Amino acid sequence: MLAIIGGRGLTQLANLKITHRQVMRTPYGEPSGAFLFGTLNEHEVIFLARHGYGHTIPPHLVNYRANLWALREQDVTDVISVATVGGIRADLTPGKLVVPDQIIDYTHGRDSTYFDSRNISFSNVDFTLPYSQKLRNRILKSAQITQHECLDGGVYAATQGPRLDSIAEINRYERDGADMVGMTGMPETSLARELDVNYASIAVVVNCAAGRGDCQTGIKLDGVNTTAKNSMERVRSILECVVICHEEDPDE
Ligand code: HPA
């Protein structure tokens, strides 16, 4: 089954026919909100708003472990995350959609692994390719079918937040090879890998990163929210196609 984790601007899926809502509990606490079970284009999906349905949970306080654990408990095999980012690379301007293929973790102090006890056996999960290539392909194919431009690949810098970045930090991320910057990519991506859940992300560029493009002296939050809102219609349309691709190509 496919699950969609929505971020800023995507706290609901307009065409999701909700069958029921369920509050979940896990050994790691409660997820960000009740899971919405329903059908999208006749296909079963689970939806979860990462920051809660009132958008009240900041990125560093999201219970990523509970979110992923509870999804896997519901037999979720694939997770598509939708997350807003600032564009570092010059062509990643507000409104662009990107499917990242690499990630760098600059977060700290988050509960970032399920292997957090001395009394359980642990494994060093492979993270060479952090995102599921099959799921990435499905998103990119769906973007093509729905005729929405969606860029293939890019390095996501995951920062701690909730504040935005200084120009010097963005310069550093760029020197490290990052193309975009966001606050929720980690540990969500690696926790999914620890649970052996396929995971990919649609990154929605909602602003130029600090010191880039029109953000030389500051980032206007009004613009960020408007761009997020305006871009989500395309994301929804891609997701409605992804669920069909998902069913047609289970072994793709
Ligand atoms: N920096 C970090 N996270 C973000 C940004 C940004 O500019 N835009 C959206 N999420």
Side-chain angles (χ1 to χ4, degrees):
M1 171 143 58
L2 175 73
I4 296 161
I5 302 180
R8 182 200 295 268
L10 192 74
T11 49
Q12 54 185 4
L13 285 174
N15 293 332
L16 177 69
K17 291 201 182 109
I18 299 170
T19 52
H20 63 289
R21 291 177 167 75
Q22 199 175 324
V23 174
M24 317 299 296
R25 290 183 213 295
T26 79
Y28 304 97
E30 278 189 25
S32 298
F35 283 6
L36 302 187
F37 292 79
T39 56
L40 194 59
N41 255 337
E42 320 277 307
H43 297 281
E44 278 188 10
V45 298
I46 297 177
F47 180 82
L48 173 67
R50 181 187 291 109
H51 300 285
Y53 294 96
H55 201 84
T56 53
I57 309 170
H60 62 297
L61 296 181
V62 169
N63 192 338
Y64 298 95
R65 290 198 301 185
N67 288 351
L68 271 300
W69 187 272
L71 287 173
R72 205 211 35 187
E73 290 279 285
Q74 295 302 312
D75 294 327
V76 164
T77 50
D78 302 270
V79 170
I80 294 181
S81 110
V82 180
T84 55
V85 295
I88 299 176
R89 214 171 70 200
D91 63 317
L92 297 188
T93 49
K96 289 277 172 74
L97 305 181
V98 196
V99 180
D101 63 346
Q102 281 294 329
I103 192 162
I104 304 175
D105 188 4
Y106 298 100
T107 67
H108 48 84
R110 301 184 181 190
D111 290 325
S112 59
T113 179
Y114 294 105
F115 302 117
D116 66 343
S117 156
R118 289 169 193 248
N119 303 318
I120 51 165
S121 64
F122 67 93
S123 85
N124 304 108
V125 294
D126 179 37
F127 206 49
T128 310
L129 300 172
Y131 298 96
S132 157
Q133 193 54 40
K134 283 184 195 166
L135 212 43
R136 292 187 66 256
N137 286 343
R138 218 170 266 151
I139 296 168
L140 292 165
K141 194 164 126 191
S142 302
Q144 230 175 21
I145 293 169
T146 52
Q147 299 188 331
H148 297 302
E149 187 191 23
C150 195
L151 302 171
D152 179 359
V155 179
Y156 177 114
T159 62
Q160 177 69 359
R163 67 165 177 80
L164 292 162
D165 325 277
S166 70
I167 294 177
E169 285 169 332
I170 293 297
N171 291 344
R172 172 188 170 206
Y173 304 152
E174 185 171 56
R175 282 195 302 275
D176 287 353
D179 299 306
M180 68 201 94
V181 58
M183 301 174 193
T184 56
M186 289 296 283
E188 203 171 81
T189 311
S190 56
L191 289 170
R193 182 59 54 85
E194 285 190 359
L195 294 178
D196 209 15
V197 168
N198 300 317
Y199 180 96
S201 187
I202 303 176
V204 182
V205 182
V206 290
N207 59 277
C208 293
R212 302 292 184 271
D214 61 357
C215 292
Q216 297 299 322
T217 55
I219 294 171
K220 293 199 174 65
L221 290 179
D222 282 0
V224 165
N225 290 330
T226 309
T227 309
K229 204 167 152 231
N230 293 343
S231 304
M232 289 308 163
E233 213 40 63
R234 282 175 289 140
V235 172
R236 285 193 188 96
S237 148
I238 293 170
L239 290 172
E240 282 166 27
C241 189
V242 163
V243 285
I244 299 167
C245 289
H246 181 73
E247 291 291 313
E248 282 173 357
D249 301 312
D251 300 312
E252 188 193 355

